[in-house]
Amino acid sequence: MSYMKYNPTWSLEQFREFDGEGKILKPHGFPDYDSSVDWCGPADNPKLASMIPDAIMGVSVSVAGYRHDLHYAMGKKMRPKWCRLQYVWRLCGDQRFRADLMSLIKASDLNAADMKLAKRFAKMYYWSVRCGGWKHCTRKNT
């Protein structure tokens, strides 16, 4: 089987398809997606992770958290050449996270008022990750 380097430009649907088929090259030891795992929040700080929701207005955002964790775990050699710089890589991952949140919310069956509120929460979620995620994004050359 040939593996592909993870690409932050993939849509959430493309990512799910490639990941489901096991086509994405992942860092050694990085787990497969499991919907029963809380992927939202830092794994090294359970107290903080328990405060960070894995659903927005009842819409699970677990797969967005998993993809974001995978993105942050990629070492420089596993990144596409066009975005190997640390700042650019982290920015791409955070913006992809926001796009995935919005995609999941738009695909939900929320009514118009709840969807509007969910999108506001998603924007706050993005900014929280943007402000606090820097210490979790790997800088390794592997």
Side-chain angles (χ1 to χ4, degrees), residues 56 102 105 114-125:
I56 298 174
M102 294 300 180
I105 291 167
D114 286 346
M115 187 168 294
K116 187 174 183 178
L117 185 58
K119 288 178 181 180
R120 287 183 181 161
F121 277 111
K123 288 176 186 176
M124 289 189 303
Y125 206 157

Side-chain angles (χ1 to χ4, degrees), residues 28-89:
H28 179 72
F30 196 86
D32 290 332
Y33 177 68
D34 179 350
S35 61
S36 67
V37 173
D38 181 2
W39 295 102
C40 301
D44 61 348
N45 190 337
K47 288 181 182 178
L48 180 57
S50 70
M51 294 173 54
I52 298 172
D54 58 348
I56 298 174
M57 300 289 294
V59 177
S60 174
V61 294
S62 181
V63 69
Y66 174 78
R67 183 176 184 182
H68 189 258
D69 287 356
L70 175 61
H71 185 99
Y72 268 28
M74 294 290 182
K76 284 185 181 181
K77 291 181 181 174
M78 296 182 82
R79 300 173 186 172
K81 288 183 180 181
W82 59 269
C83 60
R84 284 193 176 161
L85 292 174
Q86 184 69 14
Y87 177 80
V88 174
W89 182 250

